[in-house]
Amino acid sequence: MGNNIQKTEPDVILDINFKQGLSDFFEENNIKTDDRKKCVKAKIAEFFNMKNVCFLFGAGTSASAIPPMKKLCEIISDKIEKTASQPVKDKFKSIAESNNHNLEQILGVLYSGRSYYSGFKGKNQKEELCCKKLIELIEQEIFKNINIKFATDEQFELLEIYKQFYQKIAFRNKDLSRVSVFTTNNDLYNERALDDLNIHYINGFSGGIRKFFNPSMFNYTYSKRMDVGIDKYEPVENMVYLYKIHGSVNWIDKGETEGRFFSIEESFEHCTSEDNNILIYPTPTKQNKSLGAPYVDLFREFQHRLLEANTVLFVMGYGFNDEHVNDIIYRALATNTTFNVVIINQIDENKPICKVDDKRVFRLWGTAEINGKKTQMHYFDYAVKEWLPDINAFSHNDDILNAFMKEMKEIKEAVSKDDEGQRDK
């Protein structure tokens, strides 16, 4: 979320907030104003040393290139005004005004209306058809705006942010678990960035020319042979797990399983909204839809990962508006005493996560001035560049330390040999 940051001078902190539960982390630990940014970076770096590191992305991570819900509603309103019949226009205008132009609520009313009128078996066919037409128009426009072709400057700039993110987190110490990225977004920014960087990722699909969903893939990892002569392997460092818990624009339901357990295929071609794509549209009914395959498997994996010992979840661009996602996070906090949540976002203070006085819940947001322009310190681009540590830097420091220790050992051995030579004389 936000514009691409190109720093030429140190940023000026205008306001920075770091909460631990209901307490102010800075005040509790007597952190001076000038040291607060450094303190936050150190704390986040500390979390990266935990065994299991997970990320949860929401719509905010792609908001600079993909329209948010409010903008989408404006685009859809304009589309309906230009293309739909008068009864369809009137129906949409009435529902939109009654629901404060909230796209999620509008779709919820239309889904309910379609079900309601279909129960009269043709007596209210016009009303049913009107709801169906509006749902079709709205979902087509949502799909069109999500399924981008990476053709604009904004889209390429955001892709670079995603690439910087994965460059920082993918090359992790092989003794620690691989990083898991969960996202409610349906776009292809994660896959495009990972492919461009030649980083291995497991997203739950297996196969060759045709890849079909297979949740057992999340139990696998990539390994490399340590020695040609022996059958011994070690995990590769450059690998992540990617979970698209609300589906993807390039997942297609083929209908028939063709001898497989699941009928969901990952397409390598540019998809259209007529391809029966498997993604959850923003409606109140999405919690029910998430109970079906493949979502039940993805949410099970989400819950499983958060319940593992020594786990931290970094939340970015997500506003805690999806109850089925929130429930899994709350359940992990209630049952896993070694689970921590770091929310890099300014969310509504009325959300339950903001009212729990739990020292394992951290919230970070603020405002900075960079090159004379204000930016939000919790936006995706700023968070990637300023808050997240460079794991490669850690490995570089380890290399320096190992080289130093080796050199000290050689000096010690040389001194010992000189001492033995002096005694022989």
Side-chain angles (χ1 to χ4, degrees):
M1 192 172 181
N3 299 320
N4 191 12
I5 296 174
Q6 296 179 339
K7 294 181 65 175
T8 58
E9 58 185 50
D11 52 341
V12 178
I13 307 301
L14 301 178
D15 177 49
I16 181 170
N17 301 274
F18 194 39
K19 297 283 188 178
Q20 184 177 13
L22 300 180
S23 304
D24 188 306
F25 185 88
F26 299 133
E27 291 183 1
E28 277 210 344
N29 295 277
N30 297 316
I31 308 299
K32 297 179 181 178
T33 303
D34 294 341
D35 298 329
R36 291 184 173 184
K37 182 178 179 180
K38 188 187 298 182
C39 168
V40 173
K41 295 183 75 169
K43 189 65 179 177
I44 290 176
E46 179 184 322
F47 281 123
F48 266 80
N49 289 323
M50 294 186 71
K51 181 175 176 57
N52 302 298
V53 174
C54 302
F55 284 86
L56 172 61
F57 288 167
T61 60
S62 296
S64 62
I66 293 176
M69 284 298 139
K70 184 177 180 180
K71 181 63 177 178
L72 263 178
C73 191
E74 294 174 2
I75 294 171
I76 289 165
S77 298
D78 186 59
K79 178 76 173 181
I80 291 172
E81 185 63 33
K82 290 179 179 178
T83 62
S85 63
Q86 194 60 46
V88 172
K89 290 179 186 178
D90 293 340
K91 172 73 74 175
F92 178 80
K93 185 177 181 181
S94 175
I95 296 173
E97 289 178 351
S98 299
N99 290 274
N100 198 28
H101 297 273
N102 183 306
L103 191 56
E104 182 167 336
Q105 294 177 13
I106 292 169
L107 273 173
V109 170
L110 289 171
Y111 273 112
S112 299
R114 184 181 63 181
S115 299
Y116 174 78
Y117 291 120
S118 65
F120 288 95
K121 297 182 179 180
K123 292 183 179 180
N124 289 276
Q125 190 175 21
K126 287 185 178 179
E127 293 289 348
E128 183 185 351
L129 289 174
C130 191
C131 289
K132 284 183 176 179
K133 183 62 178 178
L134 277 172
I135 290 171
E136 180 184 345
L137 284 170
I138 292 171
E139 291 189 346
Q140 282 181 353
E141 202 62 30
I142 290 174
F143 185 91
K144 176 183 174 183
N145 281 272
I146 292 173
N147 195 22
I148 61 173
K149 297 182 179 180
F150 299 96
T152 67
D153 290 341
E154 291 82 6
Q155 292 164 0
F156 274 112
E157 286 177 2
L158 180 58
L159 179 61
E160 288 302 311
I161 302 298
Y162 271 91
K163 288 164 70 173
Q164 289 176 36
F165 167 77
Y166 282 110
Q167 282 174 325
K168 282 193 168 188
I169 63 99
F171 296 88
R172 201 165 183 237
N173 188 310
K174 62 179 179 292
D175 295 328
L176 300 172
S177 299
R178 302 302 89 204
V179 171
S180 295
V181 176
F182 299 89
T183 178
T184 62
N185 298 334
N186 313 112
D187 59 62
L188 300 177
Y189 271 107
N190 291 282
E191 294 92 332
R192 178 68 181 267
L194 288 162
D195 285 342
D196 287 355
L197 295 170
N198 294 313
I199 294 174
H200 304 292
Y201 65 95
I202 290 176
N203 66 347
F205 285 80
S206 64
I209 295 175
R210 300 180 67 188
K211 292 184 178 296
F212 283 83
F213 183 72
N214 180 3
S216 67
M217 292 300 297
F218 292 120
N219 297 320
Y220 299 160
T221 188
Y222 287 99
S223 299
K224 58 185 176 182
R225 179 171 287 188
M226 296 176 64
D227 192 307
V228 177
I230 58 175
D231 196 23
K232 190 174 182 180
Y233 301 84
E234 67 176 7
V236 297
E237 290 88 352
N238 60 327
M239 198 209 88
V240 298
Y241 292 97
L242 177 63
Y243 304 82
K244 303 189 79 170
I245 57 179
H246 276 184
S248 180
V249 292
N250 68 328
W251 294 2
I252 298 174
D253 188 354
K254 306 303 288 188
E256 296 294 329
T257 59
E258 300 177 3
R260 302 174 180 85
F261 290 111
F262 297 91
S263 61
I264 313 304
E265 182 177 4
E266 184 181 27
S267 175
F268 295 100
E269 299 177 355
H270 191 77
C271 300
T272 68
S273 56
E274 285 76 33
D275 287 330
N276 198 20
N277 300 81
I278 301 297
L279 56 86
I280 297 180
Y281 288 97
T283 74
T285 60
K286 61 189 173 186
Q287 185 164 2
N288 294 330
K289 186 173 181 179
S290 66
L291 297 176
Y295 304 109
V296 64
D297 301 282
L298 292 164
F299 280 100
R300 186 187 298 117
E301 288 293 330
F302 185 34
Q303 182 173 357
H304 172 70
R305 294 291 182 186
L306 299 194
L307 292 178
E308 290 182 337
N310 300 308
T311 295
V312 59
L313 176 68
F314 290 96
V315 179
M316 306 172 75
Y318 175 70
F320 284 79
N321 295 317
D322 294 329
E323 290 305 319
H324 55 308
V325 176
N326 299 347
D327 288 345
I328 293 175
I329 297 174
Y330 299 153
R331 192 174 294 115
L333 284 167
T335 58
N336 184 0
T337 58
T338 61
F339 174 61
N340 290 269
V341 182
V342 181
I343 304 166
I344 306 179
N345 197 9
Q346 186 175 13
I347 60 177
D348 187 347
E349 292 291 335
N350 290 319
K351 299 292 182 183
I353 194 72
C354 300
K355 296 181 178 181
V356 178
D357 192 10
D358 192 316
K359 296 298 183 182
R360 296 170 299 155
V361 178
F362 296 82
R363 293 188 292 131
L364 171 64
W365 74 95
T367 307
E369 186 176 285
I370 301 175
N371 304 327
K373 295 183 178 179
K374 287 185 179 180
T375 188
Q376 301 303 311
M377 302 174 78
H378 47 275
Y379 279 2
F380 187 49
D381 53 353
Y382 190 98
V384 168
K385 294 178 179 179
E386 296 297 319
W387 296 130
L388 300 188
D390 191 339
I391 296 178
N392 287 325
F394 293 153
S395 62
H396 177 64
N397 291 339
D398 289 341
D399 291 340
I400 293 174
L401 178 60
N402 291 334
F404 173 74
M405 296 298 292
K406 182 180 179 181
E407 186 176 343
M408 291 298 294
K409 184 178 180 181
E410 291 173 352
I411 292 172
K412 185 177 180 180
E413 290 174 350
V415 170
S416 297
K417 288 181 180 179
D418 288 342
D419 291 342
E420 289 177 4
Q422 290 293 333
R423 286 196 295 269
D424 291 341
K425 290 180 180 180

